Amino acid sequence: NTYIIIRSGADPNNVYNISPSFTVSPYIEVTYPNSTGIIWNVSEYPGITWSTWNGTGALSTVDIWYNNTSGWNRIGNGINATNGTWTWSSIPASRVSETVTIRVAKNDTGPSPVSPYDDSSVIAIRGKLNITRPLDAGNTVFRVSDNEAINWTADGFGGSDLVRLKFARYGNFSDPGNTTTIAENVSAQSNGTEWTNIPDNITSTGKILIEWQTNTTVKDTSDSFSVKGKLNLTSPNSGIFNVSE
């Protein structure tokens, strides 16, 4: 048991008081994520960190919990408390939410977190877009007036989520004079669209950007590629030609 004793400086042996006994409980503090504006994306590997103090109790292992305001779900179990860190391996698409709280709590076999525990700040988990074509940096060549497929993967998006695709002639999407929209209002789940009649914008440093129209911070940019001219031989296109004609 633990007590607090106060004594008089003038007569400490005779003038003092002792508190009732109490227990100093273990303590947990989440140190990341611990600020506003933090955004994680599906399939990432974020590290969750915390500090602990054992007090007079036993706090050897902890559990990690997730809540999107619909209830607590355990995502990590029986983790060494003193390590102070755990990596969430490849966040699943089912965890997408704008109102996520992470809780680090004393390990327990029950269906809900037990004390002691501490909560993170409220964070967002959003879907992830990944362009898969064009992909081979510097080696992909598109031709003027051709049609080419633009492909991507979209994790954590529903059927109503729409994306926009842009082309930056010199790879700089902050340059409006050399940036054009290829397509918009495309279903994120379609995983592809066709760039038709590629314009005569010759370049060796072109890039494609895909962005979620609901929140354009969710985006991906392709590797650089080239757009080159195209020659069409129109004559001769048939018949027989003789020497010296």
Side-chain angles (χ1 to χ4, degrees):
N1 291 332
T2 303
Y3 304 86
I4 292 177
I5 302 174
I6 58 173
R7 297 181 183 272
S8 166
D11 190 2
N13 293 325
N14 296 300
V15 181
Y16 61 87
N17 196 7
I18 302 174
S19 75
S21 65
F22 60 91
T23 299
V24 180
S25 299
Y27 173 80
I28 299 172
E29 181 182 7
V30 175
T31 54
Y32 182 81
N34 65 342
S35 60
T36 58
I38 292 174
I39 299 170
W40 293 346
N41 292 97
V42 168
S43 77
E44 290 184 344
Y45 293 71
I48 297 165
T49 62
W50 64 90
S51 58
T52 61
W53 186 72
N54 262 326
T56 56
L59 185 61
S60 58
T61 55
V62 296
D63 295 339
I64 313 296
W65 298 80
Y66 160 98
N67 193 342
N68 64 353
T69 72
S70 63
W72 291 104
N73 294 274
R74 185 186 282 110
I75 57 175
N77 180 55
I79 301 151
N80 188 316
T82 58
N83 283 353
T85 185
W86 178 77
T87 299
W88 192 357
S89 297
S90 192
I91 300 174
S94 60
R95 302 304 187 189
V96 167
S97 173
E98 291 294 309
T99 53
V100 172
T101 302
I102 302 296
R103 174 172 288 182
V104 180
K106 180 181 178 180
N107 173 246
D108 187 74
T109 58
S112 301
V114 298
S115 183
Y117 60 78
D118 190 42
D119 292 345
S120 72
S121 57
V122 176
I123 65 172
I125 295 178
R126 294 175 181 164
K128 186 171 185 178
L129 297 167
N130 183 43
I131 293 177
T132 56
R133 186 176 193 270
L135 184 62
D136 190 11
N139 295 316
T140 299
V141 177
F142 292 166
R143 299 286 179 179
V144 171
S145 78
D146 279 357
N147 301 333
E148 293 285 354
I150 308 299
N151 300 120
W152 64 86
T153 58
D155 296 319
F157 293 90
S160 62
D161 288 310
L162 303 176
V163 295
R164 179 184 298 110
L165 293 105
K166 296 180 179 181
F167 164 64
R169 183 177 186 182
Y170 302 114
N172 179 9
F173 292 94
S174 299
D175 177 5
N178 288 290
T179 300
T180 56
T181 297
I182 296 173
E184 56 187 349
N185 300 321
V186 180
S187 170
Q189 292 185 334
S190 68
N191 293 329
T193 192
E194 188 173 54
W195 188 9
T196 59
N197 193 24
I198 294 174
D200 188 6
N201 292 328
I202 305 301
T203 182
S204 61
T205 56
K207 288 186 177 182
I208 301 292
L209 179 143
I210 184 171
E211 61 186 11
W212 184 30
Q213 290 179 201
T214 302
N215 188 324
T216 57
T217 64
V218 180
K219 59 187 176 181
D220 189 42
T221 303
S222 74
D223 291 342
S224 60
F225 61 93
S226 296
V227 175
K228 295 188 177 182
K230 185 177 181 180
L231 296 175
N232 293 311
L233 182 64
T234 58
S235 179
N237 62 355
S238 64
I240 299 172
F241 293 80
N242 297 313
V243 173
S244 77
E245 286 187 347

